[in-house]
Amino acid sequence: MLIVPEREIADLMTREAAFAAVEKVFAAMAADDAYNFPVVREAIGHEDALYGFKGGFDRSGLTLGLKAGGYWPNNLEERGMINHQSTVFLFDPNTGRAKAMVGGNLLTALRTAAASSVSIRHLAREDARVIGMVGAGHQATFQLRAALEQRDFDKVIGWNLHPEMLPNLEKVAAEASLPFEAVELEGMREADVIVSITSSFAPILLADHVSQGCHIACMGTDTRGKQEVAPELLAKATVFTDEVAQSVSIGEAQHAVAAGLIRADDITQLGAVIGGTHTGRSSAEEITLFDGTGVGLQDLAVAAAVVDLAVEKGIAIEVDF
Ligand code: NAD
């Protein structure tokens, strides 16, 4: 069995490799070559932790496994460790033997950023120039860095409930030599692409905050009850997702479906656009919305890629198991 420790991931994994792995597995999901197992997420009644598993099998890539982990809210203050902790386990689909154990913390950030980036590549207008960020926390910086590579953006605008966090976005914009402007939510009408990545439980972005032709990637809502945008915005948009079952249960679409504004059948897997069985954006005026709920296969895809890179570079630790 191979081990790739968390400390090695930053030097091994690139945004390009994460993008390629996520794009490929989204296409495999839409072609029914890959599927996710039901998600387990439990409040374990210890340290206020939420712990769970996200797994799946990709028949085309022969990737089988799971990500185990969750959220330990006391880690940072009490132990100086990050609150999100996860590990990916890969198994040989031919024998069931454990194949690899991979640090999953940075990989989770990279695969989440890759998902909105893949949606921008396939759904945003080619002439998109202004990108708007709703959210300015840890994950927002990863989303913005990856998004900026997809179009010839010339400006970043941002809104956050906690404005003191906005310099996080300004810093990433500066890395790309782009101007940054803090805006009110109405100011998001200037954006051609919007990425939302917050821990909100109530709508932030309303239907009239978004202009025709915009592409929105909703990335924060990954649990029942969370919400970043108004259900009316989903009714107005053409809705895409990583996985429809998650979109309507734990994703942004849960609210629009519950309100009877859209149905599961109205939602298209992004993989269908990647694979060419759906045309994607149909006009320059259409609003497209990607509901990125975060699937286990994304984790397995980036973990498999990093194991290959670690083996190539002689960094993977081999243990008898
Ligand atoms: P973080 O704690 O670093 O940042 C949280 C962000 O949400 C900040 O911008 C904060 O100002 C904002 N926020 C907090 N409470 C809010 C509220 N009540 N209303 C509006 N905004 C609020 O967290 P992070 O690591 O940046 O993660 C952000 C979100 O993304 C989390 O909810 C996380 O669960 C989710 N996430 C989703 C995926 C996925 O695959 N879809 C993957 C990773 C993280």
Side-chain angles (χ1 to χ4, degrees):
M1 177 169 136
L2 300 170
I3 298 176
V4 185
E6 184 68 43
R7 64 171 184 275
E8 303 289 2
I9 306 292
D11 286 338
L12 284 170
M13 198 60 182
T14 60
R15 279 196 295 283
E16 293 73 19
F19 184 100
V22 169
E23 187 183 48
K24 198 167 166 194
V25 81
F26 279 175
M29 282 163 56
D32 280 338
D33 283 334
Y35 73 107
N36 293 288
F37 306 154
V39 175
V40 173
R41 199 163 161 88
E42 294 285 319
I44 58 172
H46 179 74
E47 289 283 347
D48 296 323
L50 282 175
Y51 175 70
F53 315 106
K54 278 186 169 184
F57 179 41
D58 177 358
R59 251 178 253 108
S60 55
L62 287 182
T63 313
L64 172 70
L66 60 92
K67 178 169 84 170
Y71 187 70
W72 273 258
N74 307 321
N75 274 1
L76 192 61
E77 248 170 57
E78 293 177 11
R79 301 175 187 90
M81 292 164 66
I82 66 169
N83 292 345
H84 289 277
Q85 291 291 333
S86 63
T87 309
V88 181
F89 298 89
L90 299 175
F91 296 85
D92 181 341
N94 298 326
T95 62
R97 275 180 68 94
K99 204 163 123 182
M101 180 168 104
V102 185
N105 296 347
L106 179 58
L107 283 183
T108 299
L110 290 171
R111 65 77 146 148
T112 305
S116 54
S117 188
V118 169
S119 85
I120 294 166
R121 163 88 58 97
H122 291 278
L123 294 172
R125 293 191 336 265
E126 285 298 332
D127 64 351
R129 292 293 171 268
V130 178
I131 180 161
M133 295 295 300
V134 175
H138 173 74
Q139 193 59 46
T141 60
F142 286 88
Q143 305 302 134
L144 180 55
R145 244 181 232 115
L148 288 178
E149 289 165 349
Q150 296 310 319
R151 290 292 184 268
D152 198 6
F153 291 111
D154 55 26
K155 187 177 174 186
V156 181
I157 61 178
W159 179 93
N160 196 44
L161 181 68
H162 308 102
E164 67 279 10
M165 294 168 88
L166 287 171
N168 292 338
L169 300 177
E170 191 167 7
K171 202 169 144 241
V172 177
E175 282 170 20
S177 304
L178 292 179
F180 174 78
E181 191 188 322
V183 295
E184 296 302 325
L185 285 166
E186 291 75 16
M188 282 293 155
R189 289 186 197 121
E190 192 190 346
D192 305 306
V193 170
I194 299 174
V195 179
S196 62
I197 181 81
T198 70
S199 315
S200 177
F201 278 81
I204 299 169
L205 205 60
L206 308 181
D208 74 346
H209 291 149
V210 174
S211 292
Q212 293 304 117
C214 186
H215 172 65
I216 311 152
C218 298
M219 302 303 299
T221 298
D222 55 0
T223 304
R224 195 174 296 279
K226 276 183 167 179
Q227 186 172 16
E228 296 189 296
V229 309
E232 293 74 23
L233 183 51
L234 281 89
K236 206 173 156 182
T238 307
V239 182
F240 298 84
T241 189
D242 40 25
E243 192 189 81
V244 176
Q246 285 199 184
S247 174
V248 301
S249 56
I250 60 170
E252 197 59 51
Q254 62 182 291
H255 307 287
V257 169
L261 294 177
I262 64 167
R263 293 168 303 131
D265 289 353
D266 298 323
I267 306 173
T268 303
Q269 275 187 291
L270 179 57
V273 183
I274 298 164
T277 56
H278 188 285
T279 48
R281 166 176 293 280
S282 62
S283 78
E285 287 73 43
E286 184 178 22
I287 296 174
T288 52
L289 185 148
F290 173 65
D291 185 5
T293 65
V295 293
L297 282 169
Q298 266 171 275
D299 297 299
L300 305 188
V302 290
V306 97
V307 170
D308 288 346
L309 289 166
V311 169
E312 215 173 89
K313 296 196 172 172
I315 287 170
I317 301 164
E318 196 162 355
V319 292
D320 253 347
F321 183 73

